[in-house]
Amino acid sequence: MAKIIDGKAVSAAVRAGAKQEVEALKAQGIQPGLAVVIVGDDPASRVYVNNKKKACAEIGIHSEEYALPKETTQEELLDLVCRLNDKKDINGILVQLPLPKGLDEKEVIETISPLKDVDAFHPQNVGRIMIGDYHFLPCTPAGVMELLKSADVEICGRDCVVIGRSNIVGKPMAMLLLHQSGTVTICHSKTQNLKEVCRRADILVAAVGIPKFVTADMVKPGAVVIDVGMDRDENGKLCGDVDFQNVEPVASAITPVPGGVGPMTIAMLMKNTIRAAKLQNEKR
Ligand code: NAP
């Protein structure tokens, strides 16, 4: 039986720590603030934005929502981001992705001040992660690292396989494991012999976006399996990239979906917002 890594509990602990940090900052006259920008009416984006606002309220972070219609032009969106860059009571800016068709995400991300880029998507922050001298870590991979730490998983010297090479999850995930001296392999849709490569992993991270993609025969007995996926099964029910039922008996530790990586992402966003507030107050 694998140890179930409880993302809800770890996330609650991170948020409790964040709340204490906010209280300490407030005592010094610093009120962290996060602006969340949502364009259009994508229902999943709306749920994410509501959850982010709720977490801010719980922790004591000031939050502002900017909900723009899907007809918003690139110029209008960039203008808003520039105004938020200058806004003194806003330390973090998050533009909820994906943006509606016709808007250029890359340009929007590059317009966010790197010191307010709490998603850590700006090329300057991505570069900083690469050299290991960063202000912010992207929330989902950072959440995975926190889960591994909570479960006392040794990374140094161990074989780590990440399935997926997106800029948001796969690539930064691999980099964070490398920073901890894991021996890291990144797999993607063109990888040959995926099953064999995955079976070498002491730590296997799935960020593919295909329901139950990782099957028991892809997992080395005793491996730690982290499921980043947030997919829908044939009945429309939330599930992960890992066939949990059949993989769990093979693994030594595993994250469930829901209740694994998912709750960590927002907790890490709260930490990044606090970090942004500290950084901007140091710079003044
Ligand atoms: P993405 O941008 O679609 O990337 C998926 C990756 O999987 C790509 O690199 C792709 O390879 C690879 N892939 C696709 N089919 C494959 C196959 N047959 N064999 C091997 N690799 C394959 O997705 P993402 O944004 O990284 O998200 C991945 C999953 O994580 C999704 O389920 C998403 O919902 C979830 N997610 C969860 C959170 C959270 O908070 N828990 C946050 C972000 C994302 P190529 O590059 O070759 O196409």
Side-chain angles (χ1 to χ4, degrees):
M1 277 265 292
K3 172 189 168 78
I4 308 297
I5 303 176
D6 183 350
K8 274 194 206 158
V10 180
S11 157
V14 171
R15 292 200 313 272
K19 190 172 179 178
Q20 282 184 353
E21 274 194 84
V22 170
E23 277 159 15
L25 284 174
K26 282 184 181 169
Q28 299 167 43
I30 300 169
Q31 166 64 69
L34 175 71
V36 184
V37 180
I38 176 169
V39 189
D41 43 22
D42 177 55
S45 291
R46 170 45 61 200
V47 171
Y48 293 138
V49 166
N50 288 349
N51 288 342
K52 285 165 189 172
K53 279 168 36 191
K54 215 168 114 194
C56 284
E58 174 199 325
I59 285 160
I61 291 176
H62 163 70
S63 78
E64 294 178 4
E65 180 187 309
Y66 294 83
L68 306 180
K70 63 178 186 305
E71 298 77 22
T72 301
T73 64
Q74 184 76 5
E75 289 66 32
E76 286 166 337
L77 182 53
L78 294 181
D79 179 62
L80 171 62
V81 171
C82 290
R83 278 188 281 126
L84 294 173
N85 282 342
D86 293 337
K87 207 166 183 290
K88 294 279 179 283
D89 60 344
I90 289 299
N91 305 110
I93 303 170
L94 184 147
V95 178
Q96 186 65 46
L97 302 179
L99 290 172
K101 276 202 184 75
L103 293 174
D104 179 353
E105 285 182 359
K106 185 171 169 284
E107 193 184 16
V108 172
I109 289 169
E110 289 181 9
T111 303
I112 296 173
S113 159
L115 282 179
K116 294 192 175 185
D117 170 38
V118 284
D119 261 337
F121 293 164
H122 189 287
Q124 204 181 99
N125 287 323
V126 174
R128 281 183 164 276
I129 293 161
M130 184 89 171
I131 58 175
D133 172 25
Y134 43 78
H135 298 314
F136 310 113
L137 291 176
C139 301
T140 302
V144 171
M145 296 309 282
E146 201 67 36
L147 288 177
L148 290 172
K149 196 166 112 195
S150 77
D152 290 324
V153 176
E154 177 76 35
I155 299 168
C156 181
R158 302 187 76 197
D159 280 318
C160 307
V161 172
V162 179
I163 322 176
R165 56 172 164 180
S166 69
N167 290 331
I168 292 174
V169 189
K171 281 185 207 161
M173 186 71 251
M175 199 51 63
L176 299 194
L177 291 165
L178 180 63
H179 287 326
Q180 298 293 318
S181 300
T183 302
V184 184
T185 305
I186 307 175
C187 299
H188 46 77
S189 65
K190 308 290 185 290
T191 297
Q192 305 278 306
N193 304 321
L194 183 69
K195 185 166 107 179
E196 285 70 29
V197 178
C198 290
R199 275 187 74 88
R200 289 208 302 263
D202 300 308
I203 300 167
L204 179 63
V205 182
V208 192
I210 301 176
K212 302 181 188 176
F213 179 80
V214 175
T215 47
D217 59 348
M218 294 165 75
V219 178
K220 172 161 122 180
V224 174
V225 179
I226 303 289
D227 190 350
V228 181
M230 294 228 283
D231 313 316
R232 297 276 160 193
D233 69 9
E234 57 282 5
N235 304 314
K237 203 170 146 235
L238 182 65
C239 74
D241 289 347
V242 175
D243 176 7
F244 184 88
Q245 203 185 345
N246 293 309
V247 169
E248 184 268 331
V250 183
S252 64
I254 187 167
T255 60
V257 178
V261 177
M264 295 305 295
T265 300
I266 291 184
M268 302 319 279
L269 172 69
M270 299 296 109
K271 283 193 72 158
N272 279 352
T273 305
I274 294 167
R275 173 104 180 98
K278 286 183 181 167
L279 273 171
Q280 285 156 46
N281 280 282
E282 278 165 18
K283 300 257 164 193
R284 270 177 201 159

